Amino acid sequence: MTAILALIRKDLILFVNDRRALILTVLMPIVLGAFFGYIFGGSGAKEVGKVDIAVVMLDDSNVAKKIATALKSETTFNVVELGVDEARLKVLKGKLSAAVVIPAGFGTASVKGLFGAGPKPEISLFYDPSQTAVLQMTKGLLTQHVMEIVTSEMTNGPAGQEFVSESLDKLEAVASKHPEQKPLREMLASLKAFQTDNLATANKAPSATTPAGSAKGFTLPFTTKEEAMTSGPAKYNGYAHSFAGMSVQFILFMGIDAGISILLARRLGLWNRLLAAPISLSNLLAARALSCALIAFGLLCVIFSVAALVFGVRITGNLFGFLGVGVCFAIMTASFGLLIAAFGKTPEAARSMATFATLIMVMLGGAWVPSFIFPQWMQTATLFVPTRWAVDGFDAMTWRGQGMDVAAECMAVQIGFALLFGSLALWKFGAEAKRA
Amino acid sequence: MSEIILSVNQISKSFAERRAVDGVSFQIKRGQTLGLIGPNGAGKSTTVSMICGLLRADSGEVLIDGQRVGQGNSAVKQKIGLVPQDLAIYEELSARENLKLFGALYGLKSAKLKTRCDEVLALVNLEDRAADKPSTFSGGMKRRLNIAAGLLHDPQLLILDEPTVGVDPQSRNAIFDSLEVLKRQGRTLIYTSHYMEEVERLADQVVIIDHGKVIADQPPAMLYRQLPAQAALTVDLSGEPTHELLAILKLCSGVKSVHATGAKLDIALGQTEDGLGVLQTLSAQGYAPMHYETAKANLEDIFLTLTGRSLRD
C-alpha cells in the first residue's frame, strides 16, 4: 500500500509541477466552454443574433409593400431592400443569409392565383447553401405573411374587388348555359357584398381603427406557447452543455498523457526500475490508473466550479448523480490511458492515434455540438461511444435536472467501458510480461 | 548464511533468432565486487535484467541467497538494488522526492525513509541539492542520484549497469569515490562496464562476456597471468635500430618480444621494472632514446588475448 500511495503521490506532484500543462488543461476547457456556451445561447439572458436578409421589390403593389413591411417587423430578421443583382451578390459572398425577390405584378397575380384563376406568381429565394436552416425559416415566415396579406387583399383590397367583379360579370354572362355554377355565383356575390359593406363602413368612419383595405385576411388558426422542459427550477444554460463537452475532451487528453507517460517511462528505463522494485505489474498499473482518475476528477471539479461561479451553471438534478457520473468518467479516462499505454508502440505514434481517436469520440459523443442534431442512425450508433454517456450524464444532472436513475444508467455504461478498456490493457501488459 | 550471495546457473535468453545470453554461469561471494565486462551487445545488460527478474531466462536459474529469482518474487527483489544504465530518475521531481519515491517502493517510510535519504544523499555528495530538480543537474550529478536511488533500501546486492556512461572524468571520479566507500563498507557489487580501467579499479572478480558467453571468470591477478607480457615499453630512437641491437635486446632480462617499426621499438616485458635494464642496454650500445614510455597490461589486453580482437571493436 505504501508503494501504491507513493506512486500516486509522485504522479500528482508531477502533474502539479508541470505548470504549463496544468494551466492549459484547466484553462483550455474553460475558455472553449465559455466560447461554445455563448455561441449556443449562453445562460438564456442574452439577445439572439438577427438573420440578415434582403427584400427585392420588383412590384410596387400594396400587397408587395405589406409583405416587405411584415418581414421587416419580424424580430428574427434584419431586412434591407436591395436591387436584384446586389442582393444576389451579397448572398453569394455570404454578406446576407437570404434574399426574397417579389416579382413584378405579384399583387394582382397572387390574388388570382389564390382561386386558381391564373398562373401563380413565383417568389425567388436566394440563399446561402451553408445556412439551409435560414432558408426554411424564411420560407415559413414568408408563407405566413403572404397568405395573410393576399387573403386580406382578396376580401378588402382593390385588387380583390376588381377580381370579384370581373369574375361575377363573366359568370353572369354564361349563367343560362351553366346553371351548375349558381353556388359559385352566389358565393362571389356574397363576397362582393361583404367587400362593399366593408368599404362603406370604412368611408363612414375614416378615423376607425380598421381603415379600408387593412382588415385581417386569413391568419394561422393557432398560437404556440413555448415551455422549456427542464425538471429543475433553472432555465436552460448553454454553458452547461459546452462545459460538459469541453471537460470531457480535455480530461481525455489528460488521460492520453497519462498513457504516454508509461510509454515514456519504458523508453527512459524508469519502468524497468519500478518493476525491479518489490511491486507487481498490476499494482504499478493500478497506481497509475488511480492517480489518473484522481487528476481527472479534480479537473472536472475545478472546471465545473468555474462554470458554476462565473457562468451560472447549476446542478439542477441530483448532486450525487453528478458526482457519480464524474467519478465514472474519471475511471473510464484512466482505463483509456492504460489502453493507450498497452497498445502504443512509441509515445509519438501513440499520441497521434490517441488524439485522433479522442477527437472522434468527443465529436460523436456530442461534446462539440449536441448529439440531437446528428442523423438518427448516428444518434443510435453513438450510444456505443463512451463520451456520449459522459456528456449526456452531465447534461442530465445540470440543466435537464434529472434524477439518480438517469445518472445510474450513464454511470453503468461508463464503468462498462472502463472494464473493457482496463481488461484489454491488462491482457496486453500481461502477455508482454510473459514474453519477457 | 551461505558465503555465496548470487549464483547464476547456465542462464540463456534469445530474442527472436538471436541468442543474447548463452549458458552464462558465475557466482559472487558476500562483500565481493564482480566486474562484468564485455563489448557492447555482448549480453551484459540482458544478464543483469535476468538477475533482477526483469527478464525471464529461457533456461537456467538465478539464485539470490538461495532463493530463485522470478517475476513477482518480492522477497528476492528486496535484496537487490539496481542502478540501471539509463538515467532512471524523474527529472521534474526534486532529488529528495525521487529518493522518497524509490524508498517507498521498497517499503521504507516515515523517519527511516528520511534518514536513509539523508544518508545516501551524503554518500553521493548531493546533500546541498536535495531540494533541486534533476533537470537542473549536470550529467554526473544525475548519475550520482541514479546510484543513490538504488542504495536507499540498503540492498544486499547492488547492481550497477554501466553507471558512468556519458560522464565527464571529474564526475566519474566522484562516482568512484562513492563506490569505493560502498566497497569498504563490505557491500556486494556487480559492476558492468566496457571501461576496463573502471573495472580494474573496483573488481575482486572479473567475468568477461562475449557473444553471450562467459569467456573468463577469475580474479584480475589470475587473468593477468594468462598474458604473455605484463607490461610494454615503447622507445623512440634517433635512427633505425640494427639487427644486432634487436638481437641484444631480446636477450635482456624479462624481455618477451621486440618489434621495430622504423625508429620506434615496441618491447613486451614480463614486469614494468624490466624496462630499466632495456634502457641501460640501449645506452650501453650507444643509442640515446629520444622518448620512451611504459604501460602495464590491462583488461583490454586480456580481452585481446582471449578473443583476438579489441574490446571496443
Side-chain angles (χ1 to χ4, degrees), chain B residues 31-32 167 239:
Chain B
Q32 261 196 339
V167 169

Side-chain angles (χ1 to χ4, degrees), chain B residues 40-91:
Chain B
N40 286 329
K44 304 188 295 294
S45 291
T46 305
T47 302
V48 164
S49 292
M50 286 189 280
I51 293 170
C52 296
L54 295 171
L55 284 178
R56 196 190 301 263
D58 296 338
S59 60
E61 64 175 6
V62 177
L63 301 172
I64 292 180
D65 252 352
Q67 289 178 284
R68 189 170 181 155
V69 172
Q71 288 172 323
N73 190 341
S74 296
V76 171
K77 283 181 170 183
Q78 189 75 34
K79 296 179 179 183
I80 303 171
L82 172 65
V83 179
Q85 185 175 345
D86 302 304
L87 277 171
I89 48 175
Y90 289 94
E91 296 265 340

Side-chain angles (χ1 to χ4, degrees), chain B residues 28-36 157-158 160 179-180 182-184 186-191 198-199 201-207 218-220:
Chain B
I28 310 178
K29 293 177 185 168
R30 279 176 211 283
Q32 261 196 339
T33 297
L34 181 136
L36 189 60
L157 174 65
L158 181 65
L160 302 113
L179 295 178
E180 281 173 341
L182 293 173
K183 188 173 162 64
R184 281 198 297 275
R187 288 181 192 274
T188 311
L189 308 177
I190 295 181
Y191 191 97
E198 291 182 355
V199 177
R201 189 170 159 183
L202 281 175
D204 305 308
Q205 183 85 3
V206 175
V207 171
Q218 287 177 319

Side-chain angles (χ1 to χ4, degrees), chain A residues 209-252:
Chain A
T209 50
T210 310
S214 66
K216 284 266 180 186
F218 291 172
T219 58
L220 289 174
F222 62 91
T223 59
T224 57
K225 179 188 172 193
E226 289 88 11
E227 198 174 339
M229 294 312 295
T230 60
S231 300
K235 288 190 295 184
Y236 169 68
N237 185 329
Y239 292 113
H241 176 79
S242 62
F243 270 85
M246 290 303 111
S247 301
V248 165
Q249 176 170 321
F250 282 90
I251 288 171
L252 278 176

Side-chain angles (χ1 to χ4, degrees), chain A residues 318-332 386 388-394 396-397 403-419:
Chain A
N318 188 302
L319 174 64
F320 293 106
F322 176 84
L323 294 174
V325 171
V327 167
C328 292
F329 172 64
I331 293 170
M332 195 275 288
R388 167 81 187 273
W389 294 91
V391 174
D392 282 1
F394 291 130
M397 295 303 110
M404 197 62 187
D405 53 332
V406 178
E409 192 183 16
C410 297
M411 288 158 65
V413 175
Q414 288 190 87
I415 288 296
F417 276 107
L419 286 173

